Amino acid sequence: MLNGIIIATIVVTIALGYKTKINTGLFGMIFAYIIGTFALGLKPAEVIKMWPVSIFFVILAISLFYNFAISNGTLEVLSQHMMYRTRSFPKLLPLVIFFAATIIAALGAGFFAVMAFFGPITIILCRKTGLSPLIGALAVNYGALCGNNFMVSPGGVVFIGLMNQVGYEAVSYGYAFQIFLASLVIPIIVLSVLILINKGKKSSQVIDIPKPQAFNGIQKKTLTLIFTMVTIVLIFPLLHTFIPSVKLFASLGKSIDVGLVAIIFTVIGLLLNIGSEKDIIKNVPWGTLLMICGVGMLISVAIKAGTVKMIASWVTAALPTAIVPVVMAVIGGFMSFFSSTMGVVTPALFPVVPGITEASGISAGILFSAIVIGAQATAISPFSSGGSLMLSCVGDDEREKMFTDLMFKGAPICLVSSIAYAFMINLFF
């Protein structure tokens, strides 16, 4: 009975956030308090301790550091240089846009900033070259998502934190890399197929892009700090993943925390005057933090009540092993129609993974990646963040066609490709 109430409460929380446009995390905290205290008998202090301090700290630290590159224009100038240097390859424009958006998002701009910046540019380039705006929209969306999934980018940091919470500290970086790799390979395949299908259409030989300004001294320092920080954070966990026999790599990897390293580099950036302390604090995604942590509290209550274990048992008992990752991808995609992948879907579904893995033998990495890839597949729909941002970039006369293309071509393409990935990765690995 209680498990049913908790599941219904999670659904109601998502529905209220979607309907009222009030941060879903606030509803999550309210229901965590009501159920935790009055149904489970927890003390209010115990409910408050369910606030995911570790995830909150890491996202805060990463955001503070990467906000230098956003506020001082480093990422904007870098993206302009990347587009300018590839202007002679109009037929490969979708892949150029994808890789450019991926790199800028991976360097800390995050999904929304990349979509807001590259969206209008992409539509202009599509008009100049004759490229389908739908393909351009898919390229931008895929790139922003892929870069955001990078292990030290906002999305990757959230995924690693959630995996650590459910007991995968030793392999979380490896699983996060698997998510990133999937979000890199799938778009390359999809966009390459679309390029081949559209290769007969006329396109200009050279894209008319003005030469960008050179990096100034502050922007050069910012890039140096970013690449140094990323190298320090990733080198030892990746070495341990690929060479697990060397215990030194494992020891050093455990000693390097991405949040604490980001704080160190934030202070270095302030000492070098590459940005304003006021600006980098103001640009922290406080709404996303509130959503992730608030929903996380509610899911912690569900774990305490045994609801998550019950869901995992039901999934493994009711479904053939071969299609479990597919079902998780579809559930993630459905939930993402109404809520945030980082803020709601992954905090809700990642805790189910250990139980499914134990009962079915399916790799946790496969399930984590299927959930993320499935959830992000619907980001291009006109009702989701990516699709709505692209709709805002086209004129009134193009909006109806773009809406139809995103809804009945773009979203199905992404969802089918994610389902195919979930099925094949489980079948062959």
Side-chain angles (χ1 to χ4, degrees):
M1 178 66 177
L2 178 59
N3 286 329
I5 292 173
I6 292 175
I7 292 172
T9 301
I10 293 172
V11 173
V12 169
T13 298
I14 296 171
L16 285 172
Y18 176 74
K19 185 69 176 177
T20 65
K21 306 305 178 186
I22 295 173
N23 193 302
T24 308
L26 293 173
F27 293 112
M29 284 186 276
I30 291 171
F31 288 123
Y33 169 58
I34 293 172
I35 295 174
T37 302
F38 300 104
L40 295 181
L42 300 175
K43 296 178 181 178
E46 292 179 291
V47 176
I48 293 172
K49 286 181 180 178
M50 291 179 175
W51 178 270
V53 175
S54 177
I55 293 177
F56 179 88
F57 175 76
V58 171
I59 299 174
L60 174 63
I62 285 289
S63 299
L64 288 172
F65 175 64
Y66 281 135
N67 281 345
F68 283 126
I70 297 172
S71 62
N72 64 25
T74 300
L75 296 184
E76 183 176 349
V77 175
L78 178 61
S79 63
Q80 291 170 353
H81 275 274
M82 293 170 63
M83 297 300 290
Y84 179 75
R85 291 178 183 278
T86 56
R87 68 194 186 281
S88 300
F89 309 99
K91 292 185 181 297
L92 298 179
L93 182 60
L95 290 174
V96 170
I97 293 170
F98 167 71
F99 284 116
T102 295
I103 292 171
I104 299 304
L107 291 178
F111 176 77
F112 294 104
V114 170
M115 291 297 296
F117 177 75
F118 274 95
I121 293 176
T122 298
I123 295 301
I124 293 172
L125 292 176
C126 287
R127 290 169 182 158
K128 288 183 177 181
T129 62
L131 177 70
S132 164
L134 173 62
I135 299 177
L138 287 172
V140 178
N141 183 71
Y142 268 141
L145 290 170
C146 178
N148 194 56
N149 290 347
F150 188 56
M151 290 80 76
V152 293
S153 294
V157 166
V158 170
F159 303 150
I160 289 171
L162 292 171
M163 287 187 278
N164 289 343
Q165 278 194 334
V166 296
Y168 292 98
E169 295 92 340
V171 289
S172 58
Y173 269 91
Y175 288 160
F177 179 71
Q178 185 173 328
I179 293 172
F180 171 70
L181 194 61
S183 59
L184 179 69
V185 173
I186 293 171
I188 291 175
I189 295 173
V190 171
L191 294 174
S192 297
V193 170
L194 292 174
I195 288 172
L196 290 174
I197 292 173
N198 288 268
K199 69 177 183 178
K201 296 186 178 181
K202 293 182 179 179
S203 63
S204 60
Q205 295 304 307
V206 179
I207 306 173
D208 182 19
I209 299 177
K211 186 175 182 179
Q213 65 186 48
F215 291 103
N216 60 36
I218 288 177
Q219 291 164 346
K220 289 178 181 178
K221 290 178 183 177
T222 303
L223 285 174
T224 301
L225 285 180
I226 289 176
F227 287 122
T228 304
M229 194 277 280
V230 170
T231 301
I232 291 173
V233 169
L234 291 183
I235 186 66
F236 296 113
L238 288 179
L239 285 173
H240 173 59
T241 299
F242 293 110
I243 317 176
S245 59
V246 181
K247 294 185 178 179
L248 177 63
F249 295 154
S251 176
L252 290 173
K254 290 178 181 178
S255 300
I256 295 176
D257 180 85
V258 61
L260 293 171
V261 172
I263 290 294
I264 292 171
F265 276 83
T266 298
V267 173
I268 293 172
L270 291 172
L271 292 174
L272 293 175
N273 292 316
I274 64 172
S276 161
E277 180 181 348
K278 182 179 179 181
D279 287 341
I280 64 170
I281 293 175
K282 181 181 67 176
N283 292 327
V284 169
W286 297 109
T288 300
L289 274 171
L290 188 62
M291 185 185 301
I292 292 170
C293 296
V295 172
M297 289 179 70
L298 180 57
I299 299 303
S300 294
V301 168
I303 293 171
K304 187 79 173 177
T307 306
V308 169
K309 187 174 289 186
M310 183 207 72
I311 294 172
S313 298
W314 177 84
V315 168
T316 52
L319 300 173
T321 302
I323 66 167
V324 169
V326 173
V327 172
M328 298 304 290
V330 172
I331 292 172
F334 176 77
M335 290 177 66
S336 190
F337 257 114
F338 310 101
S339 56
S340 162
T341 297
M342 285 199 310
V344 177
V345 179
T346 49
L349 295 182
F350 272 25
V352 180
V353 168
I356 296 177
T357 296
E358 184 179 351
S360 67
I362 300 173
S363 165
I366 289 175
L367 293 172
F368 286 134
S369 63
I371 290 168
V372 173
I373 298 303
Q376 293 182 340
T378 54
I380 196 61
S381 82
F383 301 111
S384 296
S385 50
S388 60
L389 282 168
M390 291 307 301
L391 276 177
S392 69
C393 298
V394 299
D396 293 338
D397 56 330
E398 302 172 290
R399 193 158 291 138
E400 184 177 347
K401 184 179 187 307
M402 180 63 108
F403 180 95
T404 303
D405 285 348
L406 292 175
M407 187 68 190
F408 298 107
K409 294 180 182 178
I413 286 171
C414 294
L415 192 57
V416 168
S417 62
S418 69
I419 290 172
Y421 163 78
F423 180 76
M424 293 177 67
I425 195 74
N426 188 42
L427 185 65
F428 295 108
F429 296 94

mmCIF file of all heavy atoms in Angstrom, residues 17-42:
data_model
loop_
_atom_site.group_PDB
_atom_site.id
_atom_site.type_symbol
_atom_site.label_atom_id
_atom_site.label_comp_id
_atom_site.label_asym_id
_atom_site.label_seq_id
_atom_site.Cartn_x
_atom_site.Cartn_y
_atom_site.Cartn_z
ATOM 1 N N GLY A 17 4.988 19.740 -11.274
ATOM 2 C CA GLY A 17 6.060 20.585 -11.803
ATOM 3 C C GLY A 17 5.811 20.974 -13.242
ATOM 4 O O GLY A 17 6.025 22.122 -13.641
ATOM 5 N N TYR A 18 5.332 19.988 -14.045
ATOM 6 C CA TYR A 18 5.048 20.254 -15.457
ATOM 7 C C TYR A 18 3.874 21.208 -15.633
ATOM 8 O O TYR A 18 3.926 22.134 -16.445
ATOM 9 C CB TYR A 18 4.766 18.925 -16.163
ATOM 10 C CG TYR A 18 4.369 19.067 -17.615
ATOM 11 C CD1 TYR A 18 5.321 19.382 -18.582
ATOM 12 C CD2 TYR A 18 3.052 18.885 -18.024
ATOM 13 C CE1 TYR A 18 4.968 19.503 -19.922
ATOM 14 C CE2 TYR A 18 2.688 19.012 -19.353
ATOM 15 C CZ TYR A 18 3.657 19.323 -20.299
ATOM 16 O OH TYR A 18 3.294 19.455 -21.615
ATOM 17 N N LYS A 19 2.822 21.000 -14.851
ATOM 18 C CA LYS A 19 1.592 21.778 -15.007
ATOM 19 C C LYS A 19 1.726 23.187 -14.461
ATOM 20 O O LYS A 19 1.291 24.165 -15.098
ATOM 21 C CB LYS A 19 0.437 21.056 -14.296
ATOM 22 C CG LYS A 19 -0.930 21.700 -14.477
ATOM 23 C CD LYS A 19 -1.423 21.562 -15.894
ATOM 24 C CE LYS A 19 -2.842 22.117 -16.043
ATOM 25 N NZ LYS A 19 -3.305 22.040 -17.452
ATOM 26 N N THR A 20 2.318 23.330 -13.294
ATOM 27 C CA THR A 20 2.375 24.640 -12.624
ATOM 28 C C THR A 20 3.592 25.461 -13.012
ATOM 29 O O THR A 20 3.636 26.661 -12.754
ATOM 30 C CB THR A 20 2.376 24.464 -11.099
ATOM 31 O OG1 THR A 20 3.585 23.800 -10.695
ATOM 32 C CG2 THR A 20 1.183 23.646 -10.634
ATOM 33 N N LYS A 21 4.605 24.786 -13.617
ATOM 34 C CA LYS A 21 5.874 25.426 -13.959
ATOM 35 C C LYS A 21 6.651 25.853 -12.713
ATOM 36 O O LYS A 21 7.606 26.633 -12.796
ATOM 37 C CB LYS A 21 5.675 26.652 -14.881
ATOM 38 C CG LYS A 21 4.874 26.362 -16.142
ATOM 39 C CD LYS A 21 5.453 25.220 -16.949
ATOM 40 C CE LYS A 21 4.618 24.916 -18.185
ATOM 41 N NZ LYS A 21 5.099 23.714 -18.897
ATOM 42 N N ILE A 22 6.221 25.357 -11.547
ATOM 43 C CA ILE A 22 6.982 25.563 -10.312
ATOM 44 C C ILE A 22 8.048 24.474 -10.248
ATOM 45 O O ILE A 22 7.812 23.323 -10.630
ATOM 46 C CB ILE A 22 6.052 25.482 -9.078
ATOM 47 C CG1 ILE A 22 5.041 26.632 -9.105
ATOM 48 C CG2 ILE A 22 6.845 25.521 -7.777
ATOM 49 C CD1 ILE A 22 3.969 26.537 -8.021
ATOM 50 N N ASN A 23 9.233 24.833 -9.749
ATOM 51 C CA ASN A 23 10.347 23.897 -9.696
ATOM 52 C C ASN A 23 9.916 22.565 -9.061
ATOM 53 O O ASN A 23 9.420 22.530 -7.934
ATOM 54 C CB ASN A 23 11.497 24.507 -8.888
ATOM 55 C CG ASN A 23 12.789 23.729 -9.063
ATOM 56 O OD1 ASN A 23 12.864 22.560 -8.785
ATOM 57 N ND2 ASN A 23 13.816 24.425 -9.535
ATOM 58 N N THR A 24 10.129 21.464 -9.797
ATOM 59 C CA THR A 24 9.723 20.138 -9.330
ATOM 60 C C THR A 24 10.388 19.770 -8.007
ATOM 61 O O THR A 24 9.825 19.042 -7.191
ATOM 62 C CB THR A 24 10.060 19.072 -10.395
ATOM 63 O OG1 THR A 24 9.508 19.478 -11.647
ATOM 64 C CG2 THR A 24 9.504 17.709 -10.018
ATOM 65 N N GLY A 25 11.600 20.280 -7.794
ATOM 66 C CA GLY A 25 12.317 19.984 -6.563
ATOM 67 C C GLY A 25 11.580 20.449 -5.319
ATOM 68 O O GLY A 25 11.676 19.817 -4.254
ATOM 69 N N LEU A 26 10.846 21.543 -5.422
ATOM 70 C CA LEU A 26 10.090 22.041 -4.273
ATOM 71 C C LEU A 26 8.994 21.053 -3.882
ATOM 72 O O LEU A 26 8.783 20.763 -2.694
ATOM 73 C CB LEU A 26 9.485 23.406 -4.596
ATOM 74 C CG LEU A 26 10.484 24.553 -4.800
ATOM 75 C CD1 LEU A 26 9.764 25.808 -5.278
ATOM 76 C CD2 LEU A 26 11.233 24.850 -3.506
ATOM 77 N N PHE A 27 8.282 20.523 -4.875
ATOM 78 C CA PHE A 27 7.266 19.515 -4.590
ATOM 79 C C PHE A 27 7.909 18.249 -4.033
ATOM 80 O O PHE A 27 7.351 17.593 -3.144
ATOM 81 C CB PHE A 27 6.466 19.192 -5.859
ATOM 82 C CG PHE A 27 5.625 20.325 -6.358
ATOM 83 C CD1 PHE A 27 5.920 20.966 -7.552
ATOM 84 C CD2 PHE A 27 4.522 20.762 -5.630
ATOM 85 C CE1 PHE A 27 5.138 22.014 -8.022
ATOM 86 C CE2 PHE A 27 3.733 21.810 -6.087
ATOM 87 C CZ PHE A 27 4.047 22.436 -7.280
ATOM 88 N N GLY A 28 9.094 17.901 -4.566
ATOM 89 C CA GLY A 28 9.807 16.727 -4.068
ATOM 90 C C GLY A 28 10.136 16.844 -2.591
ATOM 91 O O GLY A 28 9.971 15.880 -1.821
ATOM 92 N N MET A 29 10.590 18.019 -2.166
ATOM 93 C CA MET A 29 10.915 18.232 -0.752
ATOM 94 C C MET A 29 9.671 18.152 0.135
ATOM 95 O O MET A 29 9.704 17.580 1.234
ATOM 96 C CB MET A 29 11.608 19.587 -0.581
ATOM 97 C CG MET A 29 13.057 19.598 -1.042
ATOM 98 S SD MET A 29 13.886 21.155 -0.680
ATOM 99 C CE MET A 29 13.378 22.128 -2.089
ATOM 100 N N ILE A 30 8.577 18.724 -0.347
ATOM 101 C CA ILE A 30 7.323 18.699 0.432
ATOM 102 C C ILE A 30 6.862 17.263 0.660
ATOM 103 O O ILE A 30 6.566 16.851 1.793
ATOM 104 C CB ILE A 30 6.223 19.506 -0.287
ATOM 105 C CG1 ILE A 30 6.556 20.997 -0.271
ATOM 106 C CG2 ILE A 30 4.862 19.256 0.359
ATOM 107 C CD1 ILE A 30 5.643 21.842 -1.142
ATOM 108 N N PHE A 31 6.821 16.482 -0.423
ATOM 109 C CA PHE A 31 6.345 15.107 -0.293
ATOM 110 C C PHE A 31 7.343 14.231 0.466
ATOM 111 O O PHE A 31 6.942 13.273 1.155
ATOM 112 C CB PHE A 31 6.044 14.519 -1.671
ATOM 113 C CG PHE A 31 4.809 15.089 -2.310
ATOM 114 C CD1 PHE A 31 4.860 15.705 -3.556
ATOM 115 C CD2 PHE A 31 3.590 15.018 -1.660
ATOM 116 C CE1 PHE A 31 3.721 16.236 -4.142
ATOM 117 C CE2 PHE A 31 2.437 15.542 -2.237
ATOM 118 C CZ PHE A 31 2.506 16.160 -3.473
ATOM 119 N N ALA A 32 8.642 14.529 0.333
ATOM 120 C CA ALA A 32 9.641 13.783 1.107
ATOM 121 C C ALA A 32 9.402 13.984 2.599
ATOM 122 O O ALA A 32 9.478 13.036 3.394
ATOM 123 C CB ALA A 32 11.044 14.243 0.727
ATOM 124 N N TYR A 33 9.082 15.213 2.986
ATOM 125 C CA TYR A 33 8.807 15.518 4.390
ATOM 126 C C TYR A 33 7.521 14.837 4.879
ATOM 127 O O TYR A 33 7.502 14.178 5.927
ATOM 128 C CB TYR A 33 8.699 17.033 4.568
ATOM 129 C CG TYR A 33 8.150 17.463 5.909
ATOM 130 C CD1 TYR A 33 8.773 17.084 7.098
ATOM 131 C CD2 TYR A 33 7.002 18.259 5.987
ATOM 132 C CE1 TYR A 33 8.260 17.484 8.340
ATOM 133 C CE2 TYR A 33 6.484 18.655 7.218
ATOM 134 C CZ TYR A 33 7.121 18.261 8.377
ATOM 135 O OH TYR A 33 6.614 18.649 9.596
ATOM 136 N N ILE A 34 6.462 14.955 4.088
ATOM 137 C CA ILE A 34 5.165 14.392 4.502
ATOM 138 C C ILE A 34 5.237 12.868 4.619
ATOM 139 O O ILE A 34 4.843 12.285 5.644
ATOM 140 C CB ILE A 34 4.059 14.799 3.504
ATOM 141 C CG1 ILE A 34 3.818 16.315 3.571
ATOM 142 C CG2 ILE A 34 2.764 14.048 3.806
ATOM 143 C CD1 ILE A 34 2.881 16.830 2.501
ATOM 144 N N ILE A 35 5.762 12.201 3.582
ATOM 145 C CA ILE A 35 5.816 10.737 3.600
ATOM 146 C C ILE A 35 6.860 10.243 4.599
ATOM 147 O O ILE A 35 6.610 9.308 5.367
ATOM 148 C CB ILE A 35 6.113 10.194 2.187
ATOM 149 C CG1 ILE A 35 4.950 10.520 1.245
ATOM 150 C CG2 ILE A 35 6.337 8.687 2.232
ATOM 151 C CD1 ILE A 35 5.219 10.142 -0.196
ATOM 152 N N GLY A 36 8.036 10.889 4.569
ATOM 153 C CA GLY A 36 9.107 10.450 5.450
ATOM 154 C C GLY A 36 8.741 10.563 6.915
ATOM 155 O O GLY A 36 8.991 9.652 7.713
ATOM 156 N N THR A 37 8.133 11.671 7.306
ATOM 157 C CA THR A 37 7.826 11.920 8.717
ATOM 158 C C THR A 37 6.552 11.233 9.168
ATOM 159 O O THR A 37 6.521 10.558 10.206
ATOM 160 C CB THR A 37 7.709 13.435 8.971
ATOM 161 O OG1 THR A 37 8.930 14.065 8.584
ATOM 162 C CG2 THR A 37 7.453 13.721 10.447
ATOM 163 N N PHE A 38 5.495 11.364 8.388
ATOM 164 C CA PHE A 38 4.183 10.896 8.849
ATOM 165 C C PHE A 38 3.824 9.482 8.400
ATOM 166 O O PHE A 38 2.915 8.867 8.970
ATOM 167 C CB PHE A 38 3.103 11.877 8.401
ATOM 168 C CG PHE A 38 3.315 13.266 8.940
ATOM 169 C CD1 PHE A 38 3.800 14.276 8.118
ATOM 170 C CD2 PHE A 38 3.056 13.552 10.279
ATOM 171 C CE1 PHE A 38 4.016 15.558 8.618
ATOM 172 C CE2 PHE A 38 3.270 14.832 10.777
ATOM 173 C CZ PHE A 38 3.750 15.837 9.953
ATOM 174 N N ALA A 39 4.519 8.951 7.383
ATOM 175 C CA ALA A 39 4.246 7.581 6.941
ATOM 176 C C ALA A 39 5.346 6.608 7.370
ATOM 177 O O ALA A 39 5.067 5.480 7.761
ATOM 178 C CB ALA A 39 4.078 7.538 5.425
ATOM 179 N N LEU A 40 6.600 7.076 7.312
ATOM 180 C CA LEU A 40 7.709 6.198 7.683
ATOM 181 C C LEU A 40 8.175 6.401 9.119
ATOM 182 O O LEU A 40 8.981 5.623 9.628
ATOM 183 C CB LEU A 40 8.894 6.413 6.718
ATOM 184 C CG LEU A 40 8.686 6.030 5.255
ATOM 185 C CD1 LEU A 40 9.953 6.285 4.459
ATOM 186 C CD2 LEU A 40 8.274 4.573 5.141
ATOM 187 N N GLY A 41 7.707 7.477 9.749
ATOM 188 C CA GLY A 41 8.097 7.718 11.131
ATOM 189 C C GLY A 41 9.492 8.276 11.304
ATOM 190 O O GLY A 41 10.078 8.182 12.395
ATOM 191 N N LEU A 42 10.056 8.862 10.260
ATOM 192 C CA LEU A 42 11.383 9.469 10.358
ATOM 193 C C LEU A 42 11.308 10.814 11.069
ATOM 194 O O LEU A 42 10.284 11.495 11.003
ATOM 195 C CB LEU A 42 11.979 9.667 8.960
ATOM 196 C CG LEU A 42 12.177 8.411 8.094
ATOM 197 C CD1 LEU A 42 12.659 8.810 6.698
ATOM 198 C CD2 LEU A 42 13.166 7.454 8.739
#
